[in-house]
Amino acid sequence: MQTTLADFIRDTPEGREADAILRKCVHCGFCTATCPTYLLLGDENDGPRGRIYLMKQALEGQEITDRTRLHLDRCLTCRACETTCPSGVQYGRLLDIGRKLVEEKTARPGWERFKRRVLAAVLPRRFLFASLLALGRLARPFLGSLAEKVPASTPPAGAWPAPRHARKMLALAGCVQPALSPDINTAAARVLDRIGISLVEAKGAGCCGALRYHLNYQEDGLEDMRALIDSWWPHVENGVEAIVMTASGCGVTVKEYAHLLERDPRYAARAAKISALTRDISEVIDAEHARLEPLFGKKGGRIAFHPPCTLQHGQNVRSVTERVLARAGFELTPVPDSHLCCGSAGTYSILQPELSARLKRNKLSALAAGSPEEILTANIGCLAHLRSGAELPVRHWIAALEERLS
Ligand code: SF4
Ligand code: SF4
């Protein structure tokens, strides 16, 4: 694609990066076939190729309108288009640059700005979110259709094993996960403990920064990332073997710290080290399967696995969790269109509720197609989103795997 970026951005780092990405796109449109919003709405501007054109126009200095912002807002950032693209167009990076520019050049209505501010203020703060969740539970009978967004209960966390092994890995507690499903990290710690690895959490570690960064408070998101690096750094210096992610939405972001902070002279080297150490829990378990397999008890049940977009498209970790679950004795039922997003996508289910609800309905019916006994997934956002409308139980796969250990 030929480009002529406007003077205001051409010679900036973002301008150069966007230009390089745009030039790779050959307009073939293969990506539209796997774009969930294009499949729902049938509008070229609600598919990746159309959005790439909109961002190109914005970067070339053409008029940016509320329609431009609307089409970019409707993007799930699922990155299915990146998986499909034969030219290696890094759509997600381009979208970060395009959204920032469009946000600066248009005036978002006050109510939208307020909603985004509240989400950016509440979700990354673990104790504030937990308190509001507890209040929401009390108010559940009065919330009407909103009640399904507030889970009636939280599974018990269970006991965390004492750190007794020489091999140590670091876990991210995360911001919303401890309040919604504290059993996930405990299950990961117990599974790893059985194979000689102690999982530890860093005191004071907060949000990975994804929430604020993707709400377009990019500087605030970068501050969250720096704060998390500071919390983790003593453990890194003490030689933790890996940083384990049980939420793929956080994992994809931490794996990108190296890129996101590469122009920060104080943090670039540490960010690169953190990204290099980061693994999804499925990658860790897969690598240790020889030690784990003798520990599995009786055969597991029939399950449908939902691979989050942040795992399969963002981190390019495909079929690994499925392999781990099959080795653990679970029978995986077929799931059509497993490459498509469930509609959770961070704060998308709150900011784009209608599209999100349609995607959730489609996903739940695809997951139920093979008559599983339960649905397993790998990201707290997808888990909470699917659980709010599912007839089947929905949980993190590591919690199900832990139950299989004899
Ligand atoms: S990130 Fe997802 S929703 Fe956005 S354009 Fe790509 S495929 Fe479509
Ligand atoms: S598949 Fe890749 S090269 Fe083709 S239109 Fe989409 S982004 Fe451009």
Side-chain angles (χ1 to χ4, degrees):
M1 183 184 280
Q2 291 215 326
T3 56
T4 316
L5 262 55
D7 291 347
F8 73 89
I9 197 156
R10 185 187 306 122
D11 294 322
T12 64
E14 289 84 7
R16 284 191 285 273
E17 186 179 7
D19 197 44
I21 297 170
L22 284 169
R23 283 170 181 269
K24 280 189 176 175
C25 177
V26 295
H27 328 263
C28 64
F30 287 160
C31 50
T32 53
T34 56
C35 173
T37 54
Y38 178 78
L39 295 175
L40 283 186
L41 300 167
D43 181 336
E44 173 74 10
N45 287 328
D46 285 312
R49 184 173 58 179
R51 291 183 177 123
I52 287 170
Y53 270 114
L54 291 173
M55 289 187 274
K56 176 178 183 287
Q57 287 168 356
L59 289 157
E60 289 183 337
Q62 294 183 42
E63 190 191 8
I64 304 173
T65 67
D66 290 352
R67 299 292 302 172
T68 316
R69 197 183 62 237
L70 173 73
H71 293 300
L72 297 193
D73 279 355
R74 283 183 184 156
C75 173
L76 294 140
T77 332
C78 70
R79 294 168 62 181
C81 47
E82 283 188 26
T83 298
T84 312
C85 176
S87 304
V89 172
Q90 290 174 292
Y91 172 87
R93 278 302 304 147
L94 182 65
L95 187 69
D96 284 342
I97 297 165
R99 274 185 169 158
K100 183 164 177 254
L101 174 62
V102 169
E103 197 77 40
E104 285 164 4
K105 303 268 181 188
T106 57
R108 204 179 267 286
W111 167 237
E112 278 189 33
R113 283 205 308 277
F114 174 74
K115 264 196 299 189
R116 296 167 84 88
R117 256 291 157 214
V118 169
L119 290 170
V122 171
L123 295 180
R125 293 186 170 88
R126 193 182 310 160
F127 298 108
L128 185 55
F129 175 76
S131 308
L132 288 175
L133 183 66
L135 275 178
R137 285 212 175 102
L138 290 175
R140 222 164 170 267
F142 313 105
L143 291 179
S145 62
L146 276 181
E148 74 161 30
K149 297 245 175 250
V150 182
S153 62
T154 298
W160 191 288
R164 59 189 170 125
H165 302 294
R167 292 184 71 190
K168 293 216 168 23
M169 294 186 182
L170 190 57
L172 174 64
C175 42
V176 300
Q177 185 166 297
L180 291 172
S181 212
D183 55 320
I184 296 173
N185 275 12
T186 313
R190 286 179 177 166
V191 172
L192 293 179
D193 181 66
R194 293 291 299 275
I195 53 173
I197 300 168
S198 286
L199 193 64
V200 293
E201 287 180 349
K203 279 202 173 61
C207 177
C208 69
L211 275 164
R212 299 209 284 178
Y213 193 84
H214 292 300
L215 276 167
N216 240 337
Y217 302 109
Q218 294 189 3
E219 274 311 312
D220 294 340
L222 292 172
E223 274 308 306
D224 291 338
M225 295 174 201
R226 293 184 189 103
L228 186 54
I229 291 173
D230 288 343
S231 307
W232 276 345
W233 199 249
H235 294 270
V236 173
E237 287 188 317
N238 279 340
V240 287
E241 207 176 304
I243 301 175
V244 182
M245 295 289 150
T246 55
S248 59
C250 307
V252 68
T253 302
V254 179
K255 284 184 176 182
E256 287 174 357
Y257 277 13
H259 179 73
L260 294 169
L261 290 165
E262 70 184 353
R263 292 193 290 271
D264 181 330
R266 283 182 57 226
Y267 280 87
R270 290 184 179 198
K273 174 79 176 168
I274 295 282
S275 291
L277 282 172
T278 301
R279 307 269 181 282
D280 184 72
I281 179 70
S282 62
E283 296 175 282
V284 176
I285 299 288
D286 190 45
E288 302 286 336
H289 77 272
R291 291 150 167 266
L292 202 53
E293 272 184 43
L295 304 178
F296 289 127
K298 62 181 187 328
K299 203 171 172 336
R302 283 169 61 79
I303 59 99
F305 179 66
H306 167 55
C309 302
T310 42
L311 189 66
Q312 59 170 326
H313 305 305
Q315 298 186 46
N316 290 321
V317 175
R318 300 192 191 98
S319 306
V320 177
T321 319
E322 291 88 330
R323 182 164 66 230
V324 166
L325 290 168
R327 281 194 195 123
F330 288 100
E331 183 187 344
L332 280 88
T333 61
V335 181
D337 294 330
S338 65
H339 60 286
L340 290 180
C341 180
C342 67
S344 168
T347 52
Y348 194 89
S349 63
I350 298 165
L351 297 173
Q352 301 287 336
E354 283 159 29
L355 287 175
S356 170
R358 287 171 70 185
L359 289 167
K360 179 164 72 174
R361 277 197 298 277
N362 293 348
K363 181 57 70 182
L364 284 172
S365 91
L367 286 162
S371 305
E373 291 155 20
E374 66 174 334
I375 295 168
L376 304 180
T377 188
N379 185 46
I380 187 64
C382 310
L383 190 161
H385 180 62
L386 292 172
R387 191 157 61 184
S388 69
E391 288 171 10
L392 292 166
V394 184
R395 60 178 168 158
H396 196 287
W397 66 268
I398 195 72
L401 185 126
E402 195 225 342
E403 281 181 3
R404 298 272 301 104
L405 296 180
S406 54

